[in-house]
Amino acid sequence: QSVDLLVLDDLGSCAHSDYVTDKLFEVVDARYRCAKPLIVTTNIKSREMAEAPLPMRRIYDRIGERCRAVAVDGASRRANSSQPA
């Protein structure tokens, strides 16, 4: 929570237990309240965020208020690559 810049990579890519969701909320909320920089990557669409269970919607709302969305469209580099990046 105290680092200058926090990167959450691939948010929502796995199922979250109540414990993980609670801890994720604590981290995101602390960054939100302190207005510290946060970069989040995710494959989750805006509609899916709006329909998520309440605990995750609270997290997505805070991220949405502090972060600017940047859509990166295109073919998957993982699916088209035979070589590791």
Side-chain angles (χ1 to χ4, degrees):
Q1 295 176 2
S2 63
V3 296
D4 292 334
L5 172 65
L6 178 65
V7 178
L8 298 177
D9 185 39
D10 216 2
L11 179 66
S13 64
C14 60
H16 294 140
S17 66
D18 289 343
Y19 175 80
V20 170
T21 301
D22 289 346
K23 291 300 172 190
L24 182 60
F25 178 82
E26 286 178 22
V27 170
V28 170
D29 187 58
R31 307 287 303 178
Y32 176 89
R33 287 183 282 109
C34 294
K36 287 193 171 187
L38 175 64
I39 295 174
V40 179
T41 67
T42 187
N43 290 330
I44 300 172
K45 307 286 186 213
S46 298
R47 177 182 40 75
E48 294 173 86
M49 289 182 187
E51 296 171 355
L54 181 60
M56 287 306 296
R57 277 199 325 260
R58 293 173 65 214
I59 293 167
Y60 297 146
D61 285 347
R62 280 164 177 73
I63 290 171
E65 286 185 26
R66 294 284 187 202
C67 296
R68 180 177 53 181
V70 177
V72 180
D73 295 324
S76 171
R77 293 179 73 191
R78 289 185 193 112
N80 299 325
S81 175
S82 60
Q83 299 290 332

